[in-house]
Amino acid sequence: MASSHSSSPAPHSSRASSDGLYRKGSEPPSRHYRPVCLPDVCPKEPTGESRELCDGPSVVADQHRWTIYSSKVNLPAALNDPRLAKRESDFFTKTWGLDFVETEVMPSFYLPNITKEHFAPYLKETAQKEKIHERCKTICPNKDDPDSVSSITHNHEKAREELEQVPKIFMKPDFVLNDPVTFNAVLPWSHFSGASGKSRDGASSRLLQEKLSHYLDVVEVCIARQISLRSEAFFHAMSSQHALQDRLQETARAVSKLRGRMASMERVMCEGPLRALQQTRTRSNCVRLHSKLKLMAAVHQAQPTVQLLLSTSEFVGALELIATTKEVLQQELQGIHSFRHLGSQLCEMERLIDKMMVADFTTYAKSDLNRPFEEEGQILEKDRLQSLVFGLLRQRKLDFLDIYSEEIIQAAKGIVRQCVLQTVSQIDEIDPDVVMKVPEQMRLMAFSQWMDLLKSIFENFILFLKRIKATLSVIRGVVLELLDSSQRSRMMLERARAGPGGDERGGGGGRGGGGAAHLEEEEEDEEEDEPRDRHAARAGAEVAYLTHEGLFISDALNEAEQQQQQQERSSTASHTQSQAKRDACGSDSASATTESSSSREHMSSAASALPRGLASSLSEDMMPSDLELGRVANSVQDLLYTASDVSHDRCVKVLMARAKDASLERLSSAEFVQLSREVEAFVESTEKICGRRSVSLRGALQSQANRFVHRFHEERKTKLSLLLDNERWKQAEVPAEFQDLVNSIADGRIRLLNRKPSGSEDCIPSDYLIVDGQRYAVVGTVLLLIRILLEYCQCVNDIPSIATDMLTRLSDLLKHFNSRSCQLVLGAGALQVVGLKTITTKNLALASRCLQLVVHYIPIIRAHFETKLQPKQYSVLRHFDHITKDYNDHIAEISAKLVAIMDSLFEKLLSKYEVKAPMPSACFRNICKQMAKMHEAIYDLLPEEQTQMLFLRINAGFKLHLKRQLAKLGVVNDGGPQHGLVVVDVAFYTENVQALRSLERLDLNMAEIWEQKR
């Protein structure tokens, strides 16, 4: 059924509309139609007419419609409202004042003057459309016309009221009476299945029939009304259909006539030429078939040729033939049934060749690396190696260097094992059947035997690295040759593309006369053949559409163009191949030296039947890229570094096997120096061979050196601690060897002297150690400390690499001596440790003098270490500055202790002093007696300058205590009796002090004991 909501014809815009507004057709017509106008942009001015304003649009309800909010308004549009009856003349003056003057606006220079002639093309183009539009307006009423709109709206409302009588079920799009639910809703059987009788059933059925008939009438009336509204459009469409049918009949007759003429032309003009073309095509196909059969015969001989090449180990030639045959099968012989299995067979043979080459290279590496070092010649079968490397690179087996690396590791292990077996076989004390493990055998050797073993290992590894370097240089040469060849071929191809004529003729001038002439003739023949080829290609393109069997002529033309491009590429490739042959004339490749005459004949016979230019393109495609070749070349150099690292690692294993039971730590300095020198020589030799320093062996030696230094330091520190704990702090005699030792370093060069035999006549000990003309009274511990310090310096001379560590340990030793001696002497620790009754002034003075001797040698030791350190390590020398300061502070504390002893004595004696006869007093006699004892204790230990300085400080303390006592007693220098008695005592004190040795000229300045008069 037709829907009751039928829409009216689409409205057409009209410039003659009453209000000039556009209304969308989708708006439902209202029951009481009233024209709706849009509100003005600006409020209306009073014009004397009705001031009723139009209803404004709703933003929510009209969000998808065009409203005033979608418009853009400028100022002139707001000022020039055409609907205002009266224009305001004082719009600007009332706002800006009477001074505002209107001026005429000059026309813009950038805007053209638009006239009616500018719209003439547009009007001419749209004139026909406007006529059709006017004609359609007479057929379909305008929706903007109020009268027509009201009649349409009235008809729509009437149709809607009538259709509302029809139930909604008939309006559903899925209305079908097959559905039981729909059928029961339309024909309710409840009216027919009741028990009231047949009369009631008949009435119900008639009523239902009348109702359905009524519904049908309503729908038919609506349909008829719609048809009546659009009858003119229907009749117009029918008339247009009849005119179209007439035109189609005329066209069919014209086409039939044209086909008849074309058939006659085909019989007269085309059948003969086409037959000639077909025969030409048949002949060319036969020629191609013959060449294809010859190519098949050549491919058929490829397998036997490959087997023959493999029997002579010609891997490169076999791979080239396989690659060329596979390319021919893919390009020229694709789809041939007899060769359906040849491709897989060739691939299987290629994989077999890969395995054979890898196995052969592995065998070569093992035989090369494990052969005796006594054999002459560093390279084993150079031609075979070059051929294998070229074949592996040809197959992109770029991991063959990993195989060589693994063989290097195994060979390095074998070298160590063989050297150990040879050394053990010469030692009777070691039974190989009892001691099975190699590390245990090395630990059972004496140091000299183990050093001979280490030297032998070092020598073998140096020969081993030289052999590896020679082999890798051959491999690197093959890689660089391929890289250079690839770059040259690429440059020649670029020159051939840029200008294949002049450059190549100029490049061949330096060769032999006959060959150059022959090549120039070939070039001239090729240049003469090029116009013929282009002409043939054009002719083929012109007649391609005649012999083409497809649906579209454009396909035939495209095929002809592709054939022409392919011919041009093949000619360029052949030209490049001829240029490459000329450049390679007179030189042999690396693999050509191993070819036999039979293999070359088979290769030439097989390659002669292949398309020209294919082999060269194949070789370029199969070879690795320049980037890959560069990586292989770098890997070759890295492999040499790896060989050096492996050699060093195996030597480290030997070193660690010996050091497992701490035997290296128990070496003497001379033995450890011998070991370090051998290691340094080996490291320098490997660095010279490989061009890079390996750090593993040096690191292992440094680790052992650190352990050696630790043991060296701990032994001497323990020895020094035992000597200090047993030291009684009495002056010891100085053996002559110690004096000679001190004299030997007087020039600043530190070196240990060999000990003289004990029965020598010159070995007479002395009481003092003479150093730079000064006498040092020392204890026995300090003499051994000096020798220990020189041993540290000598160890640094022998092993410069441990200078930093040794300096730190030496600093620790010096600090230990300083702190322990301070504890024993100043701290009176010797009373409990050694059993001394008291710490005397002589003990203190002797300790001070020993410390001064050590301070004297600290700058010499510092200068010695500075020569062994790098400039960036000079910061560790600050330890000597700290140690010197600590020692000087210790010496000053001892001096202060001596002064404090006398101060306490002065304070005790002077506190009982009384100024009375007899003179000199007993107090001053005791003081002078103690001063003489002090002088006697230190005079032979300390130099005169220090003795004088010490007594000056003691005298200053005496004067301070005497001054306090005199002030307490009230004695002043007034010339009285008490003053005279004090002067006598002071004179006695001065006479006794100046009577002591080296104090005769000491200025005591005793006048300071009196208070100054104000």
Side-chain angles (χ1 to χ4, degrees), residues 823-843:
Q823 294 172 4
L824 293 173
V825 179
L826 281 178
L831 300 180
Q832 292 81 19
V833 176
V834 186
L836 295 180
K837 295 180 180 180
T838 182
I839 302 298
T840 63
T841 55
K842 193 169 186 177
N843 299 138

Side-chain angles (χ1 to χ4, degrees), residues 814-827:
L814 290 172
K815 291 178 181 178
H816 176 70
F817 174 78
N818 186 35
S819 61
R820 188 60 181 161
S821 61
C822 181
Q823 294 172 4
L824 293 173
V825 179
L826 281 178

Side-chain angles (χ1 to χ4, degrees), residues 250-264:
E250 292 179 1
T251 304
R253 287 194 295 270
V255 169
S256 176
K257 186 177 180 181
L258 180 60
R259 283 181 175 177
R261 292 182 180 178
M262 291 292 292
S264 61

Side-chain angles (χ1 to χ4, degrees), residues 633-769:
N634 294 333
S635 300
V636 170
Q637 186 63 34
D638 293 339
L639 187 56
L640 183 59
Y641 299 154
T642 303
S644 176
D645 294 339
V646 168
S647 303
H648 281 250
D649 291 342
R650 301 317 302 177
C651 294
V652 169
K653 295 284 186 181
V654 175
L655 201 64
M656 292 296 104
R658 179 71 178 182
K660 190 173 183 180
D661 58 350
S663 59
L664 294 182
E665 299 176 20
R666 294 191 296 269
L667 296 178
S668 64
S669 299
E671 292 174 341
F672 198 86
V673 166
Q674 182 183 1
L675 174 62
S676 63
R677 286 175 179 172
E678 292 294 334
V679 171
E680 286 293 331
F682 175 70
V683 171
E684 290 177 359
S685 299
T686 56
E687 182 180 355
K688 187 180 298 182
I689 294 172
C690 302
R692 193 187 72 170
R693 176 179 298 180
S694 296
V695 297
S696 59
L697 185 56
R698 269 200 176 122
L701 180 64
Q702 185 66 36
S703 176
Q704 292 301 318
N706 293 336
R707 295 180 182 178
F708 170 78
V709 169
H710 178 72
R711 181 197 57 81
F712 181 89
H713 173 67
E714 290 300 326
E715 286 181 356
R716 282 148 181 79
K717 186 176 180 180
T718 304
K719 183 178 180 180
L720 181 63
S721 299
L722 293 175
L723 291 173
L724 286 172
D725 291 342
N726 295 314
E727 181 62 55
R728 302 190 64 85
W729 297 100
K730 293 183 178 180
Q731 183 177 0
E733 292 182 347
V734 180
E737 62 174 327
F738 281 96
Q739 186 63 54
D740 295 338
L741 183 64
V742 170
N743 295 336
S744 66
I745 60 176
D747 55 354
R749 292 181 298 175
I750 297 177
R751 57 188 178 276
L752 286 176
L753 300 178
N754 296 327
R755 297 190 178 185
K756 297 180 180 180
S758 57
S760 178
E761 298 178 355
D762 298 335
C763 296
I764 302 175
S766 62
D767 295 334
Y768 298 95
L769 183 67

Side-chain angles (χ1 to χ4, degrees), residues 496-558:
R497 289 176 180 173
D503 295 340
E504 292 176 358
R505 286 195 298 270
R511 299 180 177 87
H518 179 66
L519 295 176
E520 289 177 0
E521 290 176 1
E522 288 182 354
E523 290 176 1
E524 291 175 0
D525 294 339
E526 289 173 0
E527 290 175 359
E528 290 176 1
D529 291 337
E530 285 178 1
R532 295 198 207 100
D533 294 339
R534 287 196 294 269
H535 179 71
R538 263 197 311 273
E542 290 172 358
V543 300
Y545 72 96
L546 295 175
T547 59
H548 183 64
E549 298 177 358
L551 296 176
F552 303 99
I553 296 176
S554 59
D555 293 342
L557 296 176
N558 292 334

